[in-house]
Each structure stands twice: as C-alpha cells, then as structure tokens.
Amino acid sequence: MAETSATTGTGEPASRPRESSWKYIGPGIVVAATGVGAGDLVATLIAGSKFGYTLMWAAVIGCVVKISLAEAAGRWHLATGRTLFDGWRSLGPWTTVYFAVYVVIWGFIYGATAMSSSALPIVALFPDGPGLKFWAIVTGLIGLAFVWFNRYAVFEKVMTVLIGIMFVVVVYVAVRVVPDAGASFAGLLPVLPDGSLLYTLGLIGGVGGTITMAAYGYWVNAKGWSNSSWMKVMRLDNRVAYITTGVFVVAMLIVGAELLHASQAALTSGDRGLIDLGKVLEDRFGAGTAKLFLVGFFATSFSSLIGVWHGVSLMFADFVERFRAPAAPADSAAPAASAASEEELAGPAATERRQRSLPFRAYLLWLTFPPMTLLWLDEPFGLVIAYGVLGAFFMPFLALTLLWLLNSARTPAEWRNGRLSNMMLANAGMLFIVLCVQQVHDLLR
C-alpha cells in the first residue's frame, strides 16, 4: 500500500511512522487478558504437577508462536486497510460458510462456559450466598451491560485493571511457593519426558490461543491505529502482550511444580481445578492467600468474558457488513490508500459504527441469553462435539489463512511475510493441525 498523504489533526502526515512507546500500549493488554482463561491456567498447572519444571521451554516457545500469530493479524489490518474477515472472504466462499457456522455454535457454548467460570470463584468466596447459576447469570448480564454501554477506551482501561490483578496474584503465588531457580533454568532446555508430548504441544499452542487472537486486529483499529505508520507501535504492543502471557504460564508452571508435583495432588480438569488449587493454598498458606487467589481467578475469568463479548461481537459485526458487500477480487491489492477508505473499513470510525450496529448488539445478546439455558441442562452431546470440532479447526484456520494472505498480492509488497514470519506461521499451522486432530480424536472416541 502506498503511503497516504492524509494528515492528522495536528497537521503531521498520517503516514509518518510513529515511534514505539509504552504510552500507546493497549490492544495487546486486551488480547492477553482475554486469551488466558481459567481452563488454560488449569492445563498449565497440571503440566507442572506432572512434569515439574521440565516443560518450561515449551511455555517460552508458545509465547513466541503467539507473538508471531498476533503480529500477522495486526500487520494485515495496518498494511492493507482491510479487516481480517475481508481478507478471509477474498479466499473464497468456504471461509464465510466456516465462520458463520463456527461463530454461532461456538458463541452458544462459550457463553455458558464463560459465565460459569466467572461465577465459580464468587461462589467459593461467598459459600453461604446464592448458588452458581445465580452468579453465572449476574456476571453474564454485567458483561452485557458493560460492553453495550461503553466504548473501546473504557473497555481497555477495565481490561488493564483486570490483567493487573491477574498478574500480581499469579506472580505473588509463584513467589510464595519459593521456586527452584536451578530447576527453572534447567527447564529451558528442550526435553520430552515419557508421556509428555501432548502436554507439550498443548502448552505451546493452548494458552492464549483462541479466536481472540483474530480479534487483535480489530482492537488495533479501535485504538485508532489504521495504517502502516503504526506498525512499530503495534509490534511493541503485541510483544508486551504475549511476554505478559508468558509470565503467567511460567508462574503457573512454578505453582504446579512446587505445590502439586511433590505432593502428587490431583486437580479437577477444567475451571473447577482452580477451586482445588484454592483449597491447597489455604491448607499451605492460610485463608488470606486462598481468597486473594480466588480474586485473581475471578479477574482471569471475567476478563475473558468481557473480552469475548466485545472482540468477537466486533468480528461478527464485520462479518455481517462484509457479507452484505461485494467480495474483493481474489489476489487483489488493498483498496486505494486514502484516509477515507481506511476509516470506512478498518479505522476507529468503522469500529465505532460497528459497536453501535444491530449485528454487534445481536451477537452480544446471543452470547448472553441463549447460553443461560445450558446452565440448567446438560450440554447436548451433539452440540458439544460440533463445538469442539469447530473450535479445534479455528487455530489452524487462522495460522494458514494468514500465511496465505500475507504472501499474496492482497498484501503490499513491503509488508508481506519474510522468511522468519513464514517459518513461524507454517510451524504454528502444523502444530495446530496436530492439536486439532488429537482434540477431534478425543471428542469422537
């Protein structure tokens, strides 16, 4: 894309590269807070409890993989002035069919999961109060009202507070259990203990790896970054996000290794495993530490809830908008680089328009109210299978379509993939294909 000659409100050229600065950090914090859910933390704890510090290296590689994927999504938005779904649509109608089915079924199941996950620590903190269903509904309604009535700037500030709570609590607990520094550094050497392959792949690909990675480009635009002049800023923001995620993963591995590995304490799979950890912490360090951990558990779960409520609703609004518009020709270059075209499709004005749109609010309602029925019903087997299969396919879909888009004429030559980006995206795609096959196999057996 040629550099635009439009100017900013200060009279400076809009295409002038912005210096990367900490003051701009924001969308990365949002994607980090949203992507790390309670289930991810449990999976990391279990890996630490089974293998100690041995898989520390996998957490580091996982951090690098996520940086590469999110950078690619952000680069597409900034380099082309087009949204990710606009790019997907240019690959053919199959992407529209897949996304339409995925976003409907995934949203229905995820809504119930997110509300239950946010309610669990509240019930544990107030055992004599209302039950899980009540708090699940309350957290869902609060999330709905918050996203419905607030714009991105407020949303980002709240997410920053929540990730701050997560960070302080997780790191505090890791320090409290007194990590073995020697074993931690030894764990950076790639080793695969017997029976650890799937845990290793899951650790690399799982934590922070969800549809919210695709939403990163939309949050970049919501921040006001709408052209390639923001590329350095976006890359710093993205690195901060996933280094923060890496710290979470390492801290939870330490907790699993020190608190659970030696005692061989077992955790319940899924979000309820964090309730088990709370009990272990209470026995070891007292009620104060356990309650602080439950507050961090709530921040982790609720940040994922409102992050999905906002980010995936933005993606759905763009999906509907693009579905109604003519598709861009395959292998076409980005639209003419004018401030107007960028604002129309992928700038902050477009984000504001989508946040007020009927599709955005309709998907918010879809995430909130229909899933409440699952709080009273056992999740239907067929629906759970469909949810699992579609979800397993999403990360390979994201990695491989980004690889396709960023090596084609759809992306300006200056911002196409280099060798390192191609290697990282290709390896990520292969990793997620293996995880996809394993997850589908586990679901169907």
Side-chain angles (χ1 to χ4, degrees):
M1 174 170 85
E3 293 287 9
T4 176
S5 60
T7 59
T8 65
T10 62
E12 297 179 352
S15 63
R16 182 177 179 180
R18 272 73 172 182
E19 291 297 323
S20 54
S21 170
W22 293 98
K23 70 181 181 181
Y24 293 124
I25 299 300
I29 296 297
V30 171
V31 79
T34 306
V36 180
D40 294 319
L41 296 186
V42 173
T44 308
L45 277 169
I46 291 174
S49 70
K50 286 182 176 292
F51 304 106
Y53 291 94
T54 310
L55 300 183
M56 189 76 76
W57 62 273
V60 175
I61 291 178
C63 179
V64 174
V65 167
K66 305 309 186 311
I67 287 173
S68 301
L69 275 168
E71 187 275 339
R75 176 156 45 97
W76 166 264
H77 276 247
L78 296 181
T80 66
R82 298 162 70 177
T83 63
L84 187 53
F85 188 79
D86 192 43
W88 283 340
R89 195 171 178 222
S90 74
L91 301 179
W94 64 275
T95 58
T96 300
V97 173
Y98 168 76
F99 187 78
V101 176
Y102 170 79
V103 80
V104 171
I105 295 178
W106 181 88
F108 183 50
I109 300 289
Y110 181 82
T113 302
M115 288 185 278
S116 295
S117 179
S118 297
L120 275 170
I122 301 176
V123 172
L125 282 167
F126 305 104
D128 297 327
L132 182 70
K133 294 182 180 66
F134 173 84
W135 286 118
I137 291 171
V138 167
T139 57
L141 292 176
I142 291 173
L144 170 68
F146 174 75
V147 174
W148 189 289
F149 292 109
N150 287 295
R151 295 295 168 257
Y152 176 78
V154 177
F155 167 71
E156 183 188 289
K157 287 181 174 64
V158 171
M159 292 292 275
T160 301
V161 170
L162 291 173
I163 201 172
I165 295 170
M166 292 162 58
F167 189 90
V168 169
V169 169
V170 169
V171 172
Y172 167 76
V173 172
V175 171
R176 191 77 192 271
V177 300
V178 190
D180 183 331
S184 298
F185 283 110
L188 296 175
L189 296 174
V191 174
L192 275 179
D194 290 343
S196 68
L197 178 60
L198 291 178
Y199 287 97
T200 303
L201 293 176
L203 201 57
I204 295 173
V207 180
T210 69
I211 190 174
T212 54
M213 296 194 71
Y216 178 60
Y218 291 86
W219 285 322
V220 162
N221 291 153
K223 183 72 169 176
W225 308 344
S226 57
N227 58 49
S228 59
S229 69
W230 291 100
M231 202 68 75
K232 285 184 178 180
V233 176
M234 180 275 292
R235 284 170 169 163
L236 174 64
D237 176 74
N238 173 48
R239 287 168 191 151
V240 170
Y242 282 100
I243 289 172
T244 303
T245 301
V247 171
F248 287 147
V249 177
V250 168
M252 294 308 283
L253 266 176
I254 290 170
V255 173
E258 292 292 343
L259 204 59
L260 306 174
H261 183 59
S263 63
Q264 295 298 303
L267 296 183
T268 307
S269 62
D271 301 346
R272 291 182 182 274
L274 293 183
I275 299 296
D276 296 343
L277 179 60
K279 293 174 182 176
V280 173
L281 287 170
E282 184 171 4
D283 291 341
R284 178 85 173 265
F285 300 113
T289 298
K291 289 185 184 301
L292 180 64
F293 175 76
L294 290 172
V295 170
F297 177 3
F298 173 76
T300 301
S301 299
F302 192 66
S303 64
S304 293
L305 186 152
I306 61 174
V308 166
W309 264 229
H310 187 273
V312 183
S313 296
L314 270 182
M315 291 183 69
F316 182 77
D318 181 46
F319 162 73
V320 174
E321 188 176 299
R322 293 299 95 214
F323 184 75
R324 291 172 175 170
D331 286 325
S332 67
S338 68
S341 65
E342 287 170 349
E343 287 299 305
E344 179 184 352
L345 184 60
T351 300
E352 182 68 19
R353 183 183 69 246
R354 290 186 186 115
Q355 287 180 128
R356 297 179 182 277
S357 69
L358 178 61
F360 180 88
R361 293 182 168 178
Y363 195 72
L364 268 179
L365 296 173
W366 174 253
L367 282 167
T368 307
F369 291 105
M372 288 179 183
T373 60
L374 296 181
L375 299 173
W376 278 271
L377 302 172
D378 289 333
E379 295 173 357
F381 178 74
L383 195 59
V384 172
I385 294 294
Y387 167 77
V389 171
L390 287 166
F393 273 98
F394 185 80
M395 290 305 288
F397 169 80
L398 175 63
L400 298 177
T401 53
L402 283 171
L403 191 65
W404 187 349
L405 289 169
L406 292 168
N407 281 290
S408 72
R410 299 171 181 83
T411 304
E414 180 185 359
W415 300 111
R416 288 178 199 162
N417 278 356
R419 290 182 180 177
L420 180 60
S421 294
N422 279 329
M423 181 182 73
M424 292 304 300
L425 288 178
N427 287 339
M430 294 304 297
L431 165 69
F432 290 125
I433 287 171
V434 172
L435 289 172
C436 172
V437 171
Q438 179 61 37
Q439 187 170 342
V440 172
H441 176 265
D442 291 344
L443 283 166
L444 298 179
R445 70 182 179 182

